Amino acid sequence: MENAPPQLGNIPQYSEMSIPTLQSNAYNSASKPSANGNPSMQNAKDSMMSSPVAESVKDQHAKTTSEFRNLADSRTRPDQTTATGQPLTHYHSFFYKLLSWENPRATGISFLLSVAFIFAARYLPVLRWSFKVLYIALGITATAEFVGKTALSQGLTSSFRPKKYYTIPRQSLENMLGDVEQLVNFFVIEFQRILFAENLMHTGAAFAAALVSYWLIKFLPLWGLSLMAVSIIYIAPLIYTNNKELIDQQMRNASQIVNSQASQVKDLAGHHTARATETVKAYAGDYSAKAQNYIGSARGRSTSPEVNTGSTSTSGSGANHPVKSEPGFSPPSYSSSDFPHAPKQEPTPGVMSHDDQYAQSQFGGQAEPMQSQYGGRAEPMQSQYGGQAEPMQSQYGDQAAPTQSQYGGQAAPMQSY
């Protein structure tokens, strides 16, 4: 126990023993044996690792690792919501941190990787190489298994088979699907925010990009257009970040100019609208007054011809004077006996014949029955419902009843057909 090496905790404070450190090159070269047993090679390696270049590489590596860690930790759901009140995804924070160049090394590396991927997809037959690697691997495993079973009675490939095949844990798969869902929803939400003009500047920029792409796709291939789009997406925020004050000042000036021009256009449009309204009202008043004058003058004039009728004598001596007469035409003369008496009271219910109606009227049965227009003698009207109604004579028979002519006093017999 006396020959045992001293422990660090047992060393007294007054001991003069010095503990060697990594900064002691002499201790490193004396205590650390080299892998090949050559002390000079170890010294060269140590001096290279302690050179300023190596220190700078270590420092940049540490910073890059820290930035990637910060970028990964930035995937948190932001407090900002959409115009509809929906929460944003954690990829909103991630892409904002990525494209704002807050972590320049991580952003620069991602930009270079994106450009390299576009060129690789354009110039390298990646899909063909994938199939080549696949058929080579399958050929080697199949050949090794066949040779092993033929020569050694045991397959070589099956001997390396694991006891349990690898599977993706459910938790890992759910996390992966959750990230994919958040990524898809990021693009869906951003497209709708741009489409429905939640931010007018973003919508205008998207419109300009779509218009330029529509014209450039006629001349550029798809990979060239993709390269241009990726370059603009990464470089435009960098230019804005380095010249933020100048760009903001120019944007404010442009906004003031646009607002002033818009107010002038608004005032001018309001002035012209007021003048047009006054003009329309004036024209409407003029046309309304003219219409009223036309209506008043039309009411004052008589649009129908006056018809003058002569006085008619109660004894039948007077005659009507027609408006128009033809030569050789003598108008017929009428007397009051040619027309029936006007009833003075309501018809008696249940009485169907003309005579019975007169008998029940206020004339007391003294009313003279209606004179017939035919033959000059008054003949009572027979009811068509009575049992003694004389049947109607045919106008085609030889004994057709004479018809009183309107022009002569004589009843001319109707000629048979």
Side-chain angles (χ1 to χ4, degrees):
M1 296 297 294
E2 296 180 357
N3 297 329
Q7 300 295 327
L8 183 60
N10 299 329
I11 297 176
Q13 296 181 358
Y14 57 86
S15 175
E16 297 180 354
M17 180 181 294
S18 60
I19 300 175
T21 60
L22 295 177
Q23 284 77 11
S24 177
N25 294 333
Y27 175 79
N28 292 336
S29 57
S31 61
K32 288 185 178 181
S34 59
N36 53 5
N38 191 352
S40 59
M41 293 296 295
Q42 185 65 33
N43 292 334
K45 181 179 179 181
D46 293 339
S47 61
M48 184 179 297
M49 293 298 295
S50 61
S51 63
V53 176
E55 293 295 335
S56 178
V57 170
K58 289 180 180 180
D59 184 51
Q60 294 297 328
H61 179 268
K63 291 181 178 180
T64 302
T65 304
S66 176
E67 289 185 1
F68 273 107
R69 188 180 298 110
N70 294 336
L71 188 62
D73 294 339
S74 65
R75 293 194 304 172
T76 57
R77 190 182 298 275
D79 298 333
Q80 182 184 1
T81 59
T82 62
T84 58
Q86 294 175 269
L88 302 178
T89 64
H90 61 257
Y91 274 102
H92 284 82
S93 302
F94 175 78
F95 283 112
Y96 177 80
K97 291 287 186 179
L98 178 64
L99 299 178
S100 62
W101 292 83
E102 295 183 5
N103 302 298
R105 295 172 182 83
T107 304
I109 291 174
S110 65
F111 173 58
L112 293 178
L113 289 178
S114 301
V115 174
F117 176 78
I118 292 174
F119 277 105
R122 170 62 181 85
Y123 292 103
L124 298 179
V126 180
L127 185 61
R128 185 167 175 266
W129 287 355
S130 301
F131 283 113
K132 183 177 181 179
V133 171
L134 182 61
Y135 85 74
I136 289 176
L138 294 177
I140 291 174
T141 55
T143 303
E145 184 70 14
F146 176 75
V147 171
K149 286 186 176 181
T150 303
L152 304 175
S153 300
Q154 183 181 1
L156 297 178
T157 305
S158 59
S159 62
F160 294 99
R161 183 186 303 150
K163 295 181 179 180
K164 185 178 181 180
Y165 290 117
Y166 176 77
T167 58
I168 300 177
R170 181 176 181 179
Q171 186 65 30
S172 301
L173 188 59
E174 289 180 353
N175 294 337
M176 186 185 304
L177 293 178
D179 287 340
V180 172
E181 177 193 1
Q182 293 291 316
L183 182 61
V184 172
N185 286 332
F186 165 76
F187 288 106
V188 172
I189 291 175
E190 285 303 311
F191 175 76
Q192 294 179 88
R193 294 176 70 185
I194 292 174
L195 179 63
F196 296 106
E198 184 172 326
N199 190 316
L200 185 58
M201 185 178 297
H202 294 173
T203 304
F207 162 74
L211 182 62
V212 172
S213 302
Y214 170 76
W215 291 105
L216 290 181
I217 198 64
K218 298 180 180 180
F219 312 103
L220 294 179
L222 182 59
W223 71 270
L225 193 63
S226 302
L227 180 62
M228 180 181 296
V230 169
S231 301
I232 293 175
I233 290 174
Y234 276 93
I235 295 176
L238 179 61
I239 296 175
Y240 174 76
T241 303
N242 295 333
N243 304 277
K244 184 177 181 180
E245 296 181 359
L246 179 62
I247 294 175
D248 289 344
Q249 182 64 29
Q250 297 299 326
M251 292 295 294
R252 284 192 294 269
N253 295 337
S255 178
Q256 292 176 0
I257 294 174
V258 170
N259 291 334
S260 62
Q261 294 295 329
S263 62
Q264 291 180 4
V265 171
K266 183 179 179 180
D267 296 339
L268 186 62
H271 176 68
H272 285 292
T273 302
R275 291 187 59 183
T277 304
E278 293 177 357
T279 304
V280 171
K281 287 182 178 180
Y283 280 115
D286 294 342
Y287 285 118
S288 178
K290 291 181 180 180
Q292 292 178 359
N293 293 335
Y294 287 147
I295 293 173
S297 61
R299 288 178 178 177
R301 295 196 305 268
S302 176
T303 58
S304 60
E306 297 181 357
V307 179
N308 298 324
T309 58
S311 60
T312 305
S313 174
T314 57
S315 60
S317 60
N320 295 332
H321 299 280
V323 178
K324 181 179 179 181
S325 62
E326 297 181 358
F329 172 77
S330 59
S333 59
Y334 301 100
S335 62
S336 59
S337 61
D338 294 335
F339 303 96
H341 295 284
K344 301 299 183 179
Q345 64 184 14
E346 294 294 332
T348 303
V351 179
M352 305 301 295
S353 65
H354 181 72
D355 295 336
D356 293 339
Q357 287 286 352
Y358 271 104
Q360 300 293 334
S361 66
Q362 63 179 353
F363 296 102
Q366 303 295 327
E368 185 177 0
M370 183 185 300
Q371 298 295 330
S372 173
Q373 301 182 14
Y374 311 102
R377 291 194 300 272
E379 182 179 357
M381 182 183 296
Q382 298 295 332
S383 173
Q384 58 179 331
Y385 304 102
Q388 299 179 0
E390 184 177 358
M392 183 182 296
Q393 299 295 331
S394 172
Q395 59 178 333
Y396 304 104
D398 296 333
Q399 300 179 0
T403 303
Q404 186 70 25
S405 173
Q406 299 181 8
Y407 306 101
Q410 304 295 326
M414 181 180 297
Q415 299 295 330
S416 174
Y417 292 99

